[in-house]
Amino acid sequence: MTRKQREIQEREQQILALARAILVREGYQALSMDRLAAEMEYAKGTIYNHFPNKEEIVAALALKSLEKRRKMFERAALLAQGSRKRMTAIGCACDIYASECCEHFAVEQMLRISAIWEKSSQTRQKLIQQCEFRSMSIVAGIVRDAQAAGDLKLPVGLSAEEFVFGFWSLTYGSHALISSSPSLAEIGIENPVRSIRYHGWTLMNGFGWQPLETFEQTEAWTAELAEGIVKHAHEDE
Amino acid sequence: MTRKQREIQEREQQILALARAILVREGYQALSMDRLAAEMEYAKGTIYNHFPNKEEIVAALALKSLEKRRKMFERAALLAQGSRKRMTAIGCACDIYASECCEHFAVEQMLRISAIWEKSSQTRQKLIQQCEFRSMSIVAGIVRDAQAAGDLKLPVGLSAEEFVFGFWSLTYGSHALISSSPSLAEIGIENPVRSIRYHGWTLMNGFGWQPLETFEQTEAWTAELAEGIVKHAHEDE
DNA sequence: TGACTTTTCTGACGAACCGTCAATAATGTT
DNA sequence: AACATTATTGACGGTTCGTCAGAAAAGTCA
């Protein structure tokens, strides 16, 4: 009873690992159930016993990716002290996630294509929304702490979550553009990641988030922090 | 000679119009060459005479969409006076583009999926890059004017284009998240568009872009401006 | 006009993929 | 060992893609 079940769970992970490898190396269209079955040396029906369709596989991978990022958020928030530094650390984690764990970011983006999201199961959709909610809570929590500590005063009519949404958009938007716009350099954007860090820093200044620091100071300790985040990110899988 | 050629060109536009309608109503997977042929009442081969594959159709539509936005940028820049207001007007145009012309924004996003971009023809890719470059030039031009007029001082090491990239990321990111995240409201983001306008305004303040205005003032004249942009946007097609 | 070349159009075709399901094999139970 | 349950298989029908030889239409010229 239990051995067989363990075998099946084991195989499920193998399928996901193989699927992720194919997705990263050759893209979404290269992922087919026939191929998955062939490379796993199982019949197609067996794969369908695990996942009702291709989209569900991508959704499962995306959920794992989102969870990885959530963990990175938790780590980042722990590694830094002071509300503003903790917020900066979150941004740093996002940068690392998108570059160092780019296979995760890529899968996460696939989920944003309506076709995949809509065909995935409702239970998976719920889990994904919960994971997003928890990530948001981590960051919104930092903002609330900042308010409580007197480091930041939110304008009236802007919730902590809406405040976070700005930084989320800035960061997500930049990574999406970087990964999908083939020639940013050609249109004059030499160092997109650094530029966005500068914008994030400026945006915090705009909101008067204390304590103020020069951008150079911020960059200096961010570099150290990044090492810590990267280490954690790679070791837990 | 010429009549037949005109007929063919005419038909190409009909194909694109039909394709866009299907894409908007039923999404990317619903668009098939067989269906296109059937609804056009032509054989499939004829459709393939116009476009070598499905991706090329989407790319053609995306190019049209990008050009529409470029025109909106030009209009927006004309309708406002003063560098900061002109920049704000561009942001306003983006909002209108993503909401009012959401079918265009949706197609533009499809292009960002690697599969489509890679299968589209090189000539089309070049055209798209040119169009993006011209859009960027419009906005970077506003930034340079602002510098020349003394309204804005860019930090050293940040080019005008990299400066624009921040606003681009903020705006694009928010619209992408809004259109793909099913339940922003559930995670505490009631009014995402207004939030991002606030962030954009704050970011400009952070860079010290003159003349300063309260957010309420900005919102007031932006509402008027929006009407003008919407009018233009809808009338030229 | 009629015989011709050239261009455009057609739809049957092979290949790839999806998801199903009756039949078969493996495993568990008594 | 006989039976029940669960897991696995791969052939199948259906859909889409992109091709291409041959049919139809348009253009050319005596």
Side-chain angles (χ1 to χ4, degrees):
Chain A
M1 192 68 170
T2 80
R3 195 198 59 191
K4 188 68 190 171
Q5 286 189 331
R6 263 182 292 130
E7 262 178 49
I8 290 176
Q9 281 203 338
E10 172 71 17
R11 193 170 52 207
E12 189 147 318
Q13 297 311 309
Q14 286 175 10
I15 294 173
L16 287 175
L18 177 58
R20 171 160 269 142
I22 294 175
L23 276 185
V24 169
R25 246 184 294 122
E26 302 172 55
Y28 180 69
Q29 25 64 37
L31 184 70
S32 85
M33 297 304 254
D34 287 88
R35 179 173 171 186
L36 227 39
E39 292 197 20
M40 289 286 295
E41 297 182 274
Y42 279 100
K44 202 163 29 153
T46 304
I47 310 293
Y48 275 96
N49 271 359
H50 290 275
F51 302 98
N53 52 49
K54 196 164 75 156
E55 287 76 13
E56 187 70 18
I57 295 179
V58 179
L61 286 173
L63 177 57
K64 280 187 157 198
S65 295
L66 289 169
E67 247 149 27
K68 183 178 184 88
R69 200 182 46 184
R70 184 178 58 72
K71 278 183 206 150
M72 285 176 70
F73 276 18
E74 282 170 359
R75 291 263 169 66
L78 277 175
L79 286 172
Q81 266 136 35
S83 65
R84 181 162 173 160
K85 284 197 178 180
R86 276 163 65 202
M87 186 66 172
T88 306
I90 295 285
C92 187
C94 285
D95 286 348
I96 290 165
Y97 179 75
S99 62
E100 210 79 15
C101 321
C102 59
E103 76 279 12
H104 288 272
F105 183 70
V107 172
E108 186 189 324
Q109 273 202 291
M110 286 180 195
L111 189 69
R112 299 203 168 272
I113 300 159
S114 53
I116 295 180
W117 173 260
E118 278 160 19
K119 285 196 83 176
S120 65
S121 69
Q122 290 216 329
T123 49
R124 189 92 57 184
Q125 288 184 8
K126 274 276 179 303
L127 285 172
I128 288 169
Q129 286 182 357
Q130 273 172 31
C131 186
E132 281 215 318
F133 179 77
R134 293 178 65 184
S135 293
M136 170 55 91
S137 296
I138 295 170
V139 192
I142 295 175
V143 173
R144 294 216 167 83
D145 290 350
Q147 281 184 289
D151 295 337
L152 174 68
K153 203 171 167 311
L154 284 192
V156 287
L158 200 73
S159 70
E161 283 78 10
E162 286 172 332
F163 179 84
V164 172
F165 184 56
F167 290 85
W168 184 13
S169 297
L170 182 67
T171 313
Y172 172 75
S174 69
H175 294 310
L177 291 172
I178 288 169
S179 74
S180 72
S181 224
S183 53
L184 288 180
E186 282 177 33
I187 57 175
I189 299 158
E190 292 294 331
N191 197 334
V193 175
R194 196 184 122 95
S195 303
I196 295 303
R197 276 203 299 268
Y198 198 94
H199 279 88
W201 177 79
T202 307
L203 190 54
M204 286 191 190
N205 294 350
F207 280 108
W209 198 328
Q210 300 296 324
L212 293 172
E213 261 181 339
T214 67
F215 183 63
E216 285 69 29
Q217 286 173 317
T218 306
E219 278 222 298
W221 65 260
T222 297
E224 278 178 57
L225 182 84
E227 282 178 44
I229 298 177
V230 170
K231 213 178 103 232
H232 279 303
H234 286 199
E235 83 193 9
D236 65 16
E237 191 132 14
Chain B
M1 192 66 170
T2 81
R3 194 198 57 191
K4 188 69 189 170
Q5 288 189 329
R6 262 182 292 131
E7 262 178 49
I8 291 175
Q9 282 203 337
E10 172 72 17
R11 193 170 52 207
E12 189 148 319
Q13 297 312 309
Q14 286 175 9
I15 294 173
L16 288 175
L18 177 59
R20 172 160 267 141
I22 294 175
L23 276 186
V24 170
R25 245 184 295 123
E26 302 171 54
Y28 180 68
Q29 24 66 35
L31 184 70
S32 85
M33 298 304 254
D34 287 86
R35 178 173 172 185
L36 227 39
E39 291 196 22
M40 289 287 295
E41 296 182 274
Y42 278 99
K44 203 162 28 151
T46 306
I47 310 293
Y48 275 97
N49 272 358
H50 289 276
F51 302 97
N53 53 48
K54 197 163 77 153
E55 286 77 12
E56 187 70 19
I57 295 180
V58 178
L61 286 173
L63 177 56
K64 280 188 157 195
S65 295
L66 288 170
E67 247 148 26
K68 182 178 186 88
R69 201 183 45 185
R70 185 178 58 72
K71 279 184 205 149
M72 285 175 70
F73 276 17
E74 282 169 359
R75 291 264 168 67
L78 277 173
L79 286 173
Q81 266 137 36
S83 66
R84 180 161 172 159
K85 285 197 176 181
R86 276 163 66 202
M87 188 65 173
T88 306
I90 295 284
C92 186
C94 284
D95 286 348
I96 291 165
Y97 178 76
S99 63
E100 210 79 17
C101 320
C102 58
E103 76 277 13
H104 287 271
F105 183 69
V107 172
E108 186 190 323
Q109 273 202 291
M110 287 180 195
L111 189 69
R112 299 203 168 272
I113 300 158
S114 54
I116 295 180
W117 172 260
E118 277 160 19
K119 284 196 84 175
S120 64
S121 68
Q122 290 216 330
T123 49
R124 189 91 56 182
Q125 289 184 7
K126 274 273 180 304
L127 286 171
I128 287 169
Q129 286 183 356
Q130 273 172 31
C131 187
E132 281 214 318
F133 179 77
R134 293 179 65 185
S135 292
M136 171 54 91
S137 297
I138 294 170
V139 192
I142 294 176
V143 173
R144 295 217 166 80
D145 289 350
Q147 281 184 288
D151 294 337
L152 174 68
K153 203 170 166 310
L154 283 191
V156 287
L158 199 73
S159 70
E161 282 79 9
E162 287 173 331
F163 179 84
V164 172
F165 184 57
F167 290 86
W168 185 14
S169 298
L170 183 67
T171 313
Y172 171 76
S174 68
H175 294 310
L177 290 172
I178 289 169
S179 73
S180 72
S181 224
S183 53
L184 287 180
E186 282 177 35
I187 57 174
I189 299 158
E190 292 295 331
N191 197 334
V193 176
R194 196 184 123 95
S195 303
I196 295 303
R197 275 203 299 268
Y198 198 94
H199 278 87
W201 177 80
T202 307
L203 190 54
M204 285 192 191
N205 294 350
F207 281 108
W209 198 328
Q210 302 295 324
L212 293 173
E213 262 181 338
T214 68
F215 182 63
E216 285 69 29
Q217 287 174 318
T218 305
E219 278 223 298
W221 65 260
T222 297
E224 278 178 56
L225 183 85
E227 282 178 43
I229 297 176
V230 171
K231 213 178 103 231
H232 280 303
H234 286 198
E235 84 193 7
D236 66 15
E237 191 129 10

